[in-house]
Amino acid sequence: MAETRMPARWRIWLALALVALLVMSGAIATFYTDALWFEELGQAGVFWTSLGWMWGVGLAAGLLAFVIVYVNLRLARSMAPTAVLRSTDERGFQLEMTVQQVREVLERAFGWVLLAASAVVALAAGVSAAGGWEAFALWANGVSFGVADPQFGQDVGFYFFTLPALRTIADYLTGVLATTLAITAVIHLLTGAIRPWAKLRGFDPHVKAHLSVLAGLIIWVRAFVYWIDIYELNFSPRGQVVGASYTDVHAQLPALQILIVVAVLSGIALLVNIRFRGWRLPAIALGVWLGALILVGSVYPGLVQQFRVAPNEVAAEAPYLERNIEMTRRAFGLEDVEVRPFAAAESLGATDLAANAQTISNVRLWDPAIVAQTYQQLQGIRPYYEFTDVDIDRYELDGVERQVLVSVREMNVGQLASQAQTWVNQHLVYTHGYGAVVSPVNEFTGQGLPSFIVQDIPPQSASDIEIERPGVYFGEQSSNYVLVNTGLPEFDYPVGDQNATTTYDGEAGIGVGGGLRRAAFALRFSAPQILFSEYIQPDSKVLFRRQITERIATVAPWLHLDGDPYPIVVDGRIVWVVDAYTASDRYPYSERIAGGLNYIRNSVKVTVDAYDGTTTFYAFQPDDPLLQTWADVFPGLLTDFDQMPEEIRAHLRYPEDLFRIQAEVYKTYHMQDPQVFYNKEDQWALPGETGEGGDIMDPFYVLMRLPDEADESFMLMVPFTPRNKDNMIGWMAAKSDPDDYGRRVVYTFPKQKLVLGPEQVSARVNQDPVISQQLTLWSQRGSGVLFGNLLVIPIEESVVYIQPLYLQAERTAMPQLTRVIVAYADSVAMETDLTSALTAVFGEGTPDSGGRPSGEPTEGDAALAQQLYDQALDAQRAGDWAAYGELIEQLGVVLGRLAGTPSVEPTTAP
């Protein structure tokens, strides 16, 4: 029986199909696993809605482009002349012969060529349009802002939702029609309907009509663009500020209206010219259009600006400055900032400090950026554990609200020993971080180290903060995928020379036991081990996108995320909180800041459970029109803020990034009088902004009582200085407590009074002879001197400056709190703790700052001594002699306190 062989053509097509499948397998695997990930997160609707909009817009744009191009190309093909006269000119004859050869080659498959050309244009147009699907989704779901722009009376929503979509449509039509015109002209050229080399260059009337219609449509689209440009004047940078200025309204606006008329008439001239010979009429129209574009669109507005506005700029621009001031303050949420006078008196005494004892006891002595190094040295435990960030929060401890530092111990598998960095260890064994550490912002041990109230592994708590679920599978640096519930136990935490193990029992993860899913994830992660590993069992799961910001951004890429996620401990679990913003550059007349934004709202608070990855998007500002529109695009994505647990709500902070932006805008836009604003007579700056090489002062969280208020509040604050001056002119605070969240207060100092600013106080500290001498002595001993944040603490109607000072040995990156500097009025003091420094400045009777003086025994020292002893033995058994030495040194201090003998100062102290 003769063997049946597959035809050669089929074999070629089969080979091509297999190659295409291999090339696309990665994309298919990514698509499939993305769908599984969204489903596991409970957000499958977001995935399919996004794809529906993307594919819908792309297909519609591609289909329309295909129809436009293909119909015109077929029409051009049908206009081909039956006979082509030969040129008698030698050069023209050669060109014609070349075109004839190309024509003969294409003639065999001209229909396929037209289809291919149309398909390529359609694909490019579809892909480009699909990438901008958000503009059409917002247009279809846009809501009203309830605010009209001051120039045209359009609702602000028109600029957010409608105008960007119209601009996208105009750009799309321009691109498709221009491409169609170019390809159509080529087809006419190839078919001989256009012969530019011939002596008789007359156009066939049908060809002329065809090209004229396409060119006329392009010009009409351009008229539509001019209409859009009229509304874009609300974002004009021509004047002193963003927004339509005098010249824009009185010159540029009429110019655009004239250009619309000229463009429409030019398009009509092209169509009318179909009935006339030659191209004189459209040439005249186009010449008029270009002339108007130059003279009316550019020269005339320039003349108005130079000769009408510049000599009378204040009067001419005043109404438009008022518009910009009002709209900018509204866009950045500054219209409800409360302004209060602040006397900046220098009459503060010990009794006033006693009346503000809780504020004093919560002054932050530990700089988060500096204490992170100490955390790593004392609580890192193992090299693969890292503290990415130290955050500030407040907890109720023993019935009193206290400000604390919190940091999560995350896993960094890149710090495993090189021989231990196997695929199994990185993805199956070392899967998670463990626990967190907490320390009060103002307490320290006799060695000048943080006094932990939550520490060690497993977490040991000396407070009401209990961590019952310490596993950290989702965090700030958890960037690799892990496989759980495998045949190997997961490393949980070290115990001496052994390791405690665990098995993940959280809800997170995608089942990966089946062959199809194993293959898909193997392709996605380029990890064939997933396909062949015998450790993977039927109930094994894969966890990926474990980095919290990546996790959130994948679900809601339209949100702008704050740069400082922070952990809280709630019901024994570690939960991450991330502030998310709806932001835009489309608010009319609003000034744009760095990055181009001119509108922002902290519309969403996102929580991510560190153990099971549960991600919840809370609609924090549900009245934000931009958020309402996105909520309509993705129904079911957002959760009502009322459903946020009270325990989480109590720890929400006013976000630092938003506060920075608002402070940046407010330093100029606190001036609401147009003339004062124009002259920038009272423009402010942030401390350090005007200095050369200095660092701009960061906002800082404080737990304090505002003047004339009864209770302390957790708030974010920053001082202001006059532009190009270093003295202090005022300060802004934003409250974070649930009952007063988001309330912003600005305190302004008397303009006739000079109050030293942070830069000037720092200079005074460095010039103080006692302090300067001590700093020199420490430096000569080889110790590194580190200054913490200089804190501006308002108390009553006065300002007290407090700055911690740390020493760090050259070979050990473990800063120790050694001194506290207090500056007030003409007094500067540097002492071993805050209480002593305040006493030196204000005299006896100042309240205890809460910082524990070295050498004084405290409750729990006996238990602490036993704990340090046990840890030292564990370190000894593990051969970790550096940790052993540190623990023995700490043990000596504690034993000294218990014995009633003074503790030995660390070697880096004086």
Side-chain angles (χ1 to χ4, degrees), residues 142-213:
V143 301
S144 171
F145 272 67
V147 177
D149 86 87
Q151 176 58 40
F152 303 107
Q154 290 279 2
D155 185 85
V156 170
F158 171 78
Y159 298 92
F160 272 67
F161 311 127
T162 304
L163 207 58
L166 296 180
R167 173 73 72 178
T168 301
I169 291 172
D171 292 342
Y172 165 83
L173 290 175
T174 300
V176 170
L177 290 174
T179 303
T180 302
L181 177 61
I183 300 177
T184 300
V186 171
I187 297 300
H188 283 306
L189 180 68
L190 292 176
T191 58
I194 299 177
R195 301 169 66 230
W197 52 82
K199 289 184 177 180
L200 297 176
R201 293 185 175 87
F203 276 70
D204 181 278
H206 298 92
V207 175
K208 180 181 178 182
H210 190 190
L211 298 180
S212 295
V213 169

Side-chain angles (χ1 to χ4, degrees), residues 481-503:
Y481 69 92
V482 296
L483 293 155
V484 296
N485 299 339
T486 66
L488 283 176
E490 298 173 52
F491 167 80
D492 202 22
Y493 59 88
V495 182
D497 56 355
Q498 302 294 321
N499 290 330
T501 59
T502 188
T503 299

